[in-house]
Structure formats: structure tokens, C-alpha cells
Amino acid sequence: MPRQFKKKPRGRDINGWLIVDKPSGIGSTDVVNKVKRAFDAQKAGHGGTLDPLATGLLPIAFGAATKTVPYVMDGTKVYHFTLRFGEARDSDDADGAVTETSEARPTDEAIRAALPAFTGDIMQIPPVYSAIKINGERAYDLARDGQEVVLEARPARVDRFELIARPDADTAIFEVQSGKGVYMRSLARDLARAVGTVGHIAALRRLRVGPFLEAHAVPLDKIAGSGDIPLPSLDVLLPFATALADIPALAVTEGEAARLGFGQALSLVEFMGRVPPDADPDGGLVRVVAGERFVGLCRLEEGMLRPERLMADAIRAA
């Protein structure tokens, strides 16, 4: 029987994060495809979808960094959005069709009085134009086909929801700090209803994703411009472990790292005085390092340090 050879992946083996400042009018997947082609990268993915209307931070992971995408998506997000009162839209943003109108316009005081109900642990119904699957189909595909889409409310965490500007009676600008899976379009829609009118998002910008800030962002046209341009410099990439900077660090010896590498859970008694004070002992994650080497992520559970996702020894911590 002839020997089977594994096909070599196309493109360059690149590891790291590129933080793109996404322009309006393009989807997140399209941005990933453009950037992947620009870098001629083997593997790429993004750390949290932005709607086509939205601008701002879209973290893109290359190579080994794709393993850390779930932890980026779990990180804190900060957004600014403009809520336009008086028109409900089927997509809950300016790209949709008008479904309802209202002449009512809330006062600043009414808006601020309504905000606490949308802060903390809340239940939220996602927009019908969302990527949530219903019987294997994306909700937005069903909505575009004219089918009725009914989505159930789901838990969401909003840490901060503030009115920061009121340009005129028709619009209000907010800053939101939230956790994973919170829909800004739903917040805008539901807040408008709560103050006695209807509304939709007219503009949305993401300012932070986990440890990534606007200072890290590179405009898309600087990376994937039009025409025949050379491959972008890898200097714009952040080390893949940057994505885990928000996770408390725990130093281990090489011997302890080796035991974790074999899948062993280690007693936290061995780490007395070393467990970072901001780590959650009841199921929290820690970023394990041996000297300068990033070992992986472990979870503190029932008095044990349990391996969750370990990285290859060749990848160095940053």
C-alpha cells in the first residue's frame, strides 16, 4: 500500500494577533479573509464578530493564537453606540427596514432612570438578524428568507451602561462595558421601549476586547489595501500570549510544568504563596508560566490546579 503523505498547508506559518480597526460596511469574516490573504497566512480567525455597520476593534488570530480565541471572546468589551429614537428597524440597526415609528422622545432624566434595569445580570432577546442557530439554520438566514424568527431570552452581563452625550432629541450616545455575548442592538432596542418609544442603533464602535485597546489597532487599509502591495510586516503582530494578559499569572517550576504537561492535576498546597490574589479559587483560570515560557492555562478547582489548555514548548511567553 503506498505511503500517504500529509499535504503541507498553504501559506506562511504565522503566530500572533493583529488588532484591526474595522471600517463600516464590511463583515468580520470578510476582514479575516482579506487579512489572511495579505499576510499569506496558513490559519486565521477572529476574536468576536462585529456587525457590518460597526467599526472598531476586531482582533484577528494567526496560527497558535487561534487557540486563545475563546478567552479573548470571554473578555471585557467596551462599546460606544448612538441610539436613534423614533424608528424601529427589523435588524435593530440602521441597515434594516423600518417596522414601526413613534413621535415620543425621552428626556435625559428618563433615560438615566431606565439604565439600571439593563445593568448587571439581565435576560436579553437577541436580534432576529443574528448568527444564532435555530434547528441548524442561522437566524439571519431565516429572517432574510422572510420566515418568522422567534428567539428566547438568554442571560447577559452588562457591567456598565452610561449616557455620555445627547446631541439632540432624536439621538443619544452611550458607553457600555459588557461580557461575552451581549448584543448592543438589543440593548438599544429594549432601552428605547423602556422609555416609551422605539429606536435602533445608528452607529456602533468597539473600543476594547479583553486586553486589546484602540492603541493596538491598525486600520484595515494599511494591511489589506487595494492594488499590488508587498506582504505586511510581521512587526504589527502582537505575541499570541498577549491575549491572555488579563488572566492572573502563576509561576511554576519546570518539573511542575512537566507534570501538568502529562495532564496531571496538582494540589494547590504545592503553590501556597504563589497563587495570585486576584485568581478565583472557585473555578478561575490562571496563566501558567515557567520562567519566560508560557506553559498554558489551568483552572483552580476543588483545591487542585487542573490543566485546561497547554501550549507547545516551542512557543515562548511574551
Side-chain angles (χ1 to χ4, degrees):
M1 183 175 178
R3 186 177 178 182
Q4 298 292 318
F5 291 93
K6 187 175 180 180
K7 188 176 179 180
K8 184 179 179 180
R10 295 181 58 183
R12 297 190 293 171
D13 183 14
I14 298 171
N15 299 301
W17 283 93
L18 175 69
I19 314 306
V20 172
D21 191 337
K22 187 188 91 65
S24 184
I26 184 172
S28 298
T29 300
D30 292 332
V31 173
V32 172
N33 292 337
K34 281 178 175 287
V35 169
K36 184 179 179 183
R37 286 194 300 269
F39 278 92
D40 187 29
Q42 288 181 7
K43 187 176 184 181
H46 66 71
T49 301
L50 276 178
D51 296 329
L53 174 81
T55 66
L57 270 62
L58 181 65
I60 297 180
F62 294 105
T66 58
K67 296 179 180 180
T68 63
V69 163
Y71 307 103
V72 170
M73 295 180 70
D74 284 346
T76 297
K77 318 289 193 307
V78 175
Y79 298 87
H80 281 178
F81 72 75
T82 300
L83 170 53
R84 184 173 298 281
F85 297 111
E87 288 184 348
R89 305 241 177 166
D90 58 3
S91 62
D92 297 317
D93 66 17
D95 286 341
V98 177
T99 58
E100 186 180 349
T101 62
S102 171
E103 296 297 322
R105 299 293 184 270
T107 64
D108 291 8
E109 292 73 20
I111 292 171
R112 290 193 176 97
L115 292 177
F118 298 95
T119 306
D121 294 313
I122 65 173
M123 297 297 291
Q124 184 182 72
I125 298 175
V128 295
Y129 282 85
S130 63
I132 293 171
K133 286 190 175 182
I134 303 174
N135 298 324
E137 299 286 337
R138 298 288 187 187
Y140 55 65
D141 288 331
L142 298 174
R144 287 172 186 150
D145 289 342
Q147 298 186 43
E148 183 181 5
V149 177
V150 178
L151 297 173
E152 298 293 327
R154 53 183 57 198
R157 175 75 191 180
V158 178
D159 296 310
R160 185 163 50 83
F161 192 0
E162 298 176 357
L163 175 66
I164 59 172
R166 190 75 190 275
D168 51 52
D170 292 333
T171 56
I173 302 175
F174 299 88
E175 181 167 296
V176 178
Q177 179 175 310
S178 68
K180 178 183 178 182
V182 178
Y183 288 91
M184 297 301 112
R185 287 177 290 152
S186 294
L187 277 182
R189 175 200 67 207
D190 295 343
L191 176 61
R193 293 281 185 189
V195 294
T197 184
V198 294
H200 65 274
I201 279 186
L204 172 64
R205 181 168 179 79
R206 187 157 65 191
L207 308 174
R208 175 185 171 186
V209 183
F212 301 128
L213 308 174
E214 282 190 294
H216 298 126
V218 180
L220 178 62
D221 60 6
K222 297 291 185 183
I223 300 297
S226 58
D228 185 16
I229 60 175
L231 292 177
S233 169
L234 297 182
D235 290 344
V236 298
L237 300 186
L238 299 175
F240 89 98
T242 308
L244 309 175
D246 281 356
I247 299 174
L250 173 64
V252 300
T253 65
E254 288 294 346
E256 290 163 344
R259 291 160 63 195
L260 291 168
F262 286 117
Q264 294 181 23
L266 308 183
S267 171
L268 289 179
V269 173
E270 299 182 43
F271 300 95
M272 291 290 289
R274 281 190 280 163
V275 176
D278 52 342
D280 181 0
D282 187 19
L285 281 173
V286 289
R287 173 169 45 96
V288 176
V289 293
E292 292 297 313
R293 185 166 64 85
F294 173 59
V295 176
L297 294 173
C298 293
R299 196 169 293 278
L300 308 179
E301 260 180 353
E302 299 176 344
M304 304 294 288
L305 180 68
R306 301 184 187 279
E308 174 150 320
R309 183 175 288 275
L310 302 181
M311 301 297 175
D313 286 351
I315 301 173
R316 309 298 294 183

